[in-house]
Amino acid sequence: MEKTFNLTTEPWIEVIDAQTNQQVSVSLIELFQNAQNYRQLAGDMRTQDLAVLRLLLAILTTVYTRYDADNQGYEWLTIADDFKVVSVDEDYDSDEIHDDLKKTWQDLYEGGQFTTIVTDYLKQYANRFDLFGDQPFYQVTASEYDAVVPENKSVAHGQKTGKPTGLVAIRQMNRRISESGNSVALFAPKVNETKNDLTHAELARWLIMYQNYTGVTDKTKIKSDETFSNGAGWLYQLNPVYANGRSLFEILMLNLLLVPMDEDVRYPVQRPVWEYTGLADYLKERRRKLVPDNLAALYTTWSRLLHIEWDDQQRPLIFTAGIPMFDNVGALIEPMTLWRQDKKTSQFKPAVASIKYTGKAMWRNFGQYVNVNRRDDIHEAGIVTWLHYLKAQGLVPDDQQLWLASTALLSDGNMSSQMPATEVYDDMQIQADVLFDESSADYWPVRIEDAINITQKIGDGYYHFAATIGQIRNIDAKQFGQRHSAQFYAELNRPFKAWLASLTGNDDREAKINEWKQTLQTITLQAANTMMATSSSRDVRGIVDHDKNNVPRQINVFTANNQLRRLVFTQLKGKQVKVADEK
């Protein structure tokens, strides 16, 4: 009997059922038919969920840029029987096309569920979603693989010699283990004997994740006239941001960019990886190293050619070869990342998430997500621009709560391997009317950014306060200060996020800002009091230090505490400290 595991009909996507709050496995068709009944994706890792989310968005973007919410093809398109776009009618201008796409988004959102055209599309391409098919999902066949890699790296050569090369082990592809041949993962969630075990459903999820979060330890590459290095997976090179929601349907819809945000773009034909006629067709495109001009191609970008051989015990043997990756500089079509500007070239590139800043909460970078002051050196995340468009077009209500979320798999910082070191997640909730405040005189985002700046100045002051205590105690002052600074910000995170979520477009700005300042003052002084309560006789006696002019001065816990309090009062504009706070 022919082996099959078709992702369109077999359960492999983990979701949370909204009614039972239980985790269930569903197929692609089940997911799209019932997305409104699921709370969220619930795979092995949040970063894996993001990679799967982008695959789901690639399907939806492809379908609903060809068919409207009534399952009818747009009148300005000619569509073939295989659902592919044949041509776009030149008599229709961008505005007409964009209006139709906007209406489709609106009809879907108001309808509260996806339509049957998605199922029809998946049935049409079911052969491309089978792990064991003639064109296996996210893989290539042995003959395709051998045709493009050096002979000594081929599958046939490995079978002939009994020494296959260019392999990636399941224990490395499984990003909860990420064990290479050179280093053992000591704290893995599996014992050594089972690290290479996995089900077909797990294999499908890890295949998608690996294509997005590949490191650079492997050396096998396809043959090419131009030299290239094996690059990291595309998502691995981002500092991701996306919209969260109250159901999986809402999450998918809020991230479904149907209308081009660039007015100069008329209609990009979506081309996910499974719509290429074959590997040669796909590699021809990848050898050009051009950034995709459509989101479906971007969301389904491969970083490696993968081929799976199954041994007698039905264990997968995975061959991998690098393929050219396009440059991320100026790849502004990517909507799910923060950007930074190169000071020399003025070009934007993704601001890669770094392990150095794992403790920095998302709200502290508010100005990088939203271009508060409309500066030219900041490129707003595309998903934020899209949400702004939805609000401006009246497609989401002013009082709708929006969740911006970020999850990143951080590498160990070793550029020669880029092995995963840890995963981080954060989010912030804010009302649409606040995030995209249209008032000019009392613009909410500017007031929020000002509040964050004050908070960070006081946070810096608290670091110096703690470092001074460390200096007096004759221990590593920098390390002591950093540890207590991290604890201080951890104390701030929950109340700040609650305050941010409580804001509305009708609020008295000054009153709400003062509300946060009062909270900030209370937390800061409580933290200082806690430190003071642990003072030793040495802390009280102090030491002699020298200022920047080399003038000797006596410092102790009281001088350090007074310095911090002066900073707090200055930044919070002279608010008086309650007697109880001074105890």
Side-chain angles (χ1 to χ4, degrees):
M1 184 176 177
E2 188 176 350
K3 186 186 293 185
T4 181
F5 188 87
N6 199 297
L7 305 189
T8 64
T9 54
E10 297 282 352
W12 65 279
I13 308 173
E14 299 294 315
V15 297
I16 300 294
D17 186 287
Q19 290 294 320
T20 65
N21 282 324
Q22 297 296 308
Q23 184 171 327
V24 295
S25 297
V26 297
S27 67
L28 275 172
I29 289 177
E30 286 176 302
L31 184 140
F32 287 119
Q33 289 177 338
N34 302 290
Q36 65 279 7
N37 299 322
Y38 304 136
R39 193 175 305 284
Q40 62 186 63
L41 295 172
D44 303 277
M45 301 173 70
R46 287 184 183 273
T47 43
Q48 184 190 79
D49 288 340
L50 178 59
V52 172
L53 176 69
R54 286 164 67 95
L55 176 88
L56 302 176
L57 289 169
I59 296 170
L60 290 174
T61 308
T62 301
V63 172
Y64 287 116
T65 52
R66 300 173 187 177
Y67 297 87
D68 63 18
D70 293 323
N71 301 332
Q72 301 299 311
Y74 295 110
E75 61 183 8
W76 33 268
L77 279 184
T78 301
I79 303 173
D81 291 340
D82 63 357
F83 288 70
K84 289 182 181 176
V85 173
V86 175
S87 63
V88 185
D89 194 331
E90 295 296 330
D91 291 337
Y92 289 82
D93 62 26
S94 296
D95 289 343
E96 293 172 296
I97 292 173
H98 293 182
D99 284 347
D100 282 350
L101 295 172
K102 182 179 73 174
K103 186 174 187 309
T104 296
W105 193 97
Q106 182 176 19
D107 290 346
L108 287 171
Y109 195 59
E110 292 176 354
Q113 59 185 357
F114 299 114
T115 56
T116 56
I117 192 68
V118 183
T119 300
D120 295 340
Y121 177 84
L122 288 172
K123 288 180 177 176
Q124 174 66 38
Y125 285 92
N127 65 322
R128 302 304 302 267
F129 286 90
D130 194 326
L131 282 180
F132 303 96
D134 294 336
Q135 294 179 297
F137 175 75
Y138 265 41
Q139 308 154 57
V140 296
T141 63
S143 59
E144 287 176 325
Y145 188 86
D146 286 356
V148 295
V149 301
E151 193 278 333
N152 62 345
K153 303 286 186 181
S154 68
V155 177
H157 184 269
Q159 292 171 336
K160 181 179 178 182
T161 62
K163 295 179 180 179
T165 57
L167 301 175
V168 57
I170 291 297
R171 62 179 60 199
Q172 183 172 350
M173 178 179 284
N174 182 335
R175 286 327 206 179
R176 296 184 68 191
I177 302 175
S178 289
E179 180 175 299
S180 70
N182 299 320
S183 59
V184 177
L186 295 176
F187 303 104
K190 288 187 173 185
V191 297
N192 190 54
E193 291 75 13
T194 63
K195 284 180 179 176
N196 283 325
D197 293 348
L198 82 176
T199 65
H200 293 159
E202 289 172 327
L203 175 60
R205 297 196 298 272
W206 290 124
L207 275 175
I208 296 167
M209 182 165 184
Y210 190 71
Q211 290 285 18
N212 283 277
Y213 294 96
T214 323
V216 295
T217 54
D218 54 331
K219 304 304 177 190
T220 301
K221 296 179 281 190
I222 64 168
K223 292 177 287 188
S224 175
D225 294 335
E226 296 183 14
T227 59
F228 70 94
S229 300
N230 280 349
W234 179 254
L235 257 179
Y236 212 14
Q237 304 178 60
L238 308 182
N239 193 340
V241 55
Y242 58 98
N244 227 330
R246 294 162 294 189
S247 69
L248 183 54
F249 173 78
E250 187 172 271
I251 294 170
L252 287 164
M253 286 302 300
L254 292 177
N255 291 286
L256 182 60
L257 282 73
L258 285 188
V259 185
M261 289 295 91
D262 185 344
E263 294 180 353
D264 295 332
V265 177
R266 180 168 173 258
Y267 175 79
V269 177
Q270 303 298 320
R271 201 177 187 195
V273 67
W274 51 82
E275 286 198 3
Y276 283 82
T277 54
L279 179 61
D281 188 23
Y282 185 63
L283 287 183
K284 179 181 178 183
E285 187 70 25
R286 292 299 300 274
R287 289 181 196 277
R288 298 169 63 201
K289 296 185 182 180
L290 296 178
V291 178
D293 65 355
N294 65 94
L295 289 175
L298 183 71
Y299 289 164
T300 58
T301 294
W302 288 358
S303 67
R304 299 290 185 274
L305 289 189
L306 298 176
H307 169 71
I308 301 179
E309 288 283 308
W310 296 84
D311 66 14
D312 295 338
Q313 286 75 44
Q314 291 305 299
R315 291 175 303 196
L317 199 62
I318 305 177
F319 290 79
T320 175
I323 52 180
M325 177 63 81
F326 42 84
D327 196 352
N328 60 10
V329 176
L332 299 178
I333 187 176
E334 172 58 65
M336 294 185 178
T337 188
L338 296 185
W339 298 89
R340 68 176 180 83
Q341 188 180 43
D342 186 303
K343 293 180 180 178
K344 292 182 179 177
T345 66
S346 297
Q347 288 187 299
F348 288 97
K349 63 185 300 183
V352 183
S354 169
I355 197 169
K356 294 180 181 177
Y357 306 107
T358 52
K360 192 169 185 179
M362 194 174 176
W363 60 265
R364 292 172 62 189
N365 289 323
F366 183 81
Q368 292 185 31
Y369 293 94
V370 184
N371 193 352
V372 174
N373 295 306
R374 300 177 175 88
R375 289 165 42 184
D376 292 336
D377 61 341
I378 293 178
H379 184 80
E380 189 171 80
I383 193 65
V384 175
T385 303
W386 169 247
L387 293 173
H388 194 173
Y389 171 84
L390 295 179
K391 192 258 185 184
Q393 295 293 320
L395 302 181
V396 297
D398 291 346
D399 60 354
Q400 175 153 336
Q401 289 290 332
L402 299 174
W403 283 268
L404 290 179
S406 177
T407 185
L409 188 66
L410 306 181
S411 84
D412 57 6
N414 185 337
M415 297 308 293
S416 64
S417 61
Q418 298 190 40
M419 291 294 287
T422 188
E423 181 188 58
V424 293
Y425 172 83
D426 198 4
D427 61 17
M428 57 183 180
Q429 179 184 348
I430 188 168
Q431 193 182 87
D433 209 19
V434 173
L435 186 61
F436 306 119
D437 187 4
E438 302 298 336
S439 62
S440 55
D442 223 0
Y443 185 51
W444 249 133
V446 169
R447 301 304 303 272
I448 294 170
E449 184 72 352
D450 288 345
I452 292 171
N453 288 337
I454 290 174
T455 303
Q456 304 215 104
K457 285 179 181 175
I458 292 177
D460 290 344
Y462 189 81
Y463 163 79
H464 288 294
F465 164 72
T468 302
I469 302 296
Q471 181 186 1
I472 294 169
R473 294 178 182 178
N474 196 27
I475 57 179
D476 189 325
K478 183 177 180 181
Q479 190 179 71
F480 189 77
Q482 288 174 337
R483 185 169 76 246
H484 284 274
S485 176
Q487 292 174 357
F488 173 70
Y489 275 114
E491 290 291 321
L492 292 179
N493 284 344
R494 180 173 292 183
F496 186 88
K497 289 168 73 171
W499 174 78
L500 191 63
S502 74
L503 303 180
T504 72
N506 298 321
D507 283 335
D508 178 330
R509 276 42 168 184
E510 207 59 43
K512 294 298 289 186
I513 293 293
N514 285 335
E515 181 183 310
W516 169 246
K517 286 182 176 178
Q518 184 61 51
T519 302
L520 176 60
Q521 175 177 300
T522 301
I523 292 174
T524 306
L525 297 182
Q526 283 177 346
N529 288 344
T530 300
M531 183 80 80
M532 293 291 287
T534 64
S535 298
S536 65
S537 57
R538 179 186 173 91
D539 295 339
V540 174
R541 189 169 60 250
I543 61 173
V544 175
D545 186 33
H546 294 80
D547 65 16
K548 59 183 179 181
N549 297 317
N550 203 31
V551 176
R553 59 176 182 171
Q554 185 76 18
I555 59 171
N556 55 39
V557 290
F558 301 111
T559 59
N561 191 38
N562 287 339
Q563 188 175 13
L564 174 63
R565 285 171 178 260
R566 278 196 300 274
L567 176 71
V568 171
F569 302 149
T570 301
Q571 291 298 325
L572 301 184
K573 297 186 178 177
K575 277 186 172 294
Q576 296 299 310
V577 184
K578 295 177 182 177
V579 175
D581 291 333
E582 295 180 324
K583 291 180 178 177

